[in-house]
């Protein structure tokens, strides 16, 4: 028999569970998804994003990706999360950041500004790019690029 304090706690937990946002169900999707199936879908997703440079479109959504591949959106979310540990937007930003790094190191992009490189990689704003870069590398893109130039001259 529950006392009134335990009953209220249980009731609170049930109410909170029902009011959780949908995006917290990623773990539930992942549990239902076999690793083999997640990997298979992830390879298709990554290939599609890379071959068509979809990740460079700053307005490209997971819903569009799911529609183009004709798979449910929750499978896109689950396969990316299960294979990388990242949410869709985090994964797309990682792809964009890898593209930025390739361009910053490429000899044929040395004449380009950092902002041009960021926009080519799919970042919609200068501020969003700078925040993401600093969070990932611990310095501004300008400082990083100066380090590349100094190392190349040595």
């Amino acid at each position: 028999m529950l006392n009134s304090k335990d009953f209220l706690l249980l009731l609170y937990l049930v109410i909170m569970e029902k009011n959780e946002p949908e995006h917290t169900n990623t773990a539930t999707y992942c549990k239902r998804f076999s690793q083999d199936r997640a990997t298979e879908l992830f390879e298709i997703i990554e290939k599609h994003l890379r071959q068509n440079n979809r990740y460079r479109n700053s307005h490209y959504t997971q819903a569009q990706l799911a529609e183009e591949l004709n798979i449910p959106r929750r499978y896109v979310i689950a396969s990316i999360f299960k294979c990388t540990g990242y949410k869709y937007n985090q994964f797309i930003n990682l792809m964009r950041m890898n593209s930025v790094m390739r361009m910053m190191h490429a000899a044929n992009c040395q004449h380009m500004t950092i902002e041009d490189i960021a926009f080519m990689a799919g970042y919609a704003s200068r501020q969003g790019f700078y925040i993401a870069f600093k969070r990932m590398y611990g310095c501004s893109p300008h400082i990083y690029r100066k380090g590349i130039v100094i190392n190349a001259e040595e």
Side-chain angles (χ1 to χ4, degrees):
M1 178 101 174
L2 291 174
N3 63 34
S4 61
K5 187 177 177 182
D6 291 339
F7 174 77
L8 289 174
L9 180 61
L10 183 62
L11 181 63
Y12 173 77
L13 292 173
V14 168
I15 290 169
M16 291 307 293
E17 185 176 287
K18 287 183 180 179
N19 291 329
E20 283 185 13
E22 278 188 13
H23 70 276
T24 60
N25 291 335
T26 301
T28 304
Y29 294 152
C30 289
K31 289 177 188 174
R32 295 179 188 162
F33 230 45
S34 73
Q35 185 62 49
D36 291 341
R37 180 69 176 138
T39 302
E40 179 184 319
L41 275 177
F42 179 73
E43 289 172 0
I44 292 167
I45 290 166
E46 188 177 32
K47 182 178 178 183
H48 184 77
L49 289 169
R50 286 191 193 286
Q51 281 184 341
N52 301 306
N53 287 326
R54 296 287 196 241
Y55 69 94
R56 290 184 174 187
N57 178 347
S58 62
H59 302 291
Y60 192 68
T61 65
Q62 56 190 308
Q64 290 171 302
L65 175 61
E67 185 177 325
E68 288 175 4
L69 295 175
N70 198 28
I71 58 175
R73 191 174 73 98
R74 67 180 176 265
Y75 289 2
V76 170
I77 295 166
S79 63
I80 290 173
F81 187 78
K82 191 155 189 151
C83 292
T84 66
Y86 294 117
K87 294 179 181 175
Y88 173 80
N89 288 334
Q90 293 171 319
F91 178 67
I92 293 297
N93 279 328
L94 183 63
M95 292 181 79
R96 288 177 182 155
M97 198 58 71
N98 287 337
S99 180
V100 165
M101 296 308 284
R102 282 192 304 274
M103 286 188 268
M104 285 177 79
H105 287 271
N108 63 340
C109 294
Q110 293 304 310
H111 68 284
M112 296 173 65
T113 67
I114 290 172
E115 289 79 12
D116 288 340
I117 290 172
F119 290 128
M120 282 183 63
Y123 285 93
S125 74
R126 179 182 184 274
Q127 182 181 11
F129 167 67
Y130 273 72
I131 290 169
F133 193 96
K134 187 156 186 161
R135 188 176 295 142
M136 186 170 282
Y137 297 105
C139 65
S140 75
H142 289 288
I143 290 173
Y144 184 89
R145 196 173 207 187
K146 283 180 185 177
I148 294 171
V149 172
I150 291 170
N151 288 337
E153 291 174 356
E154 292 176 354

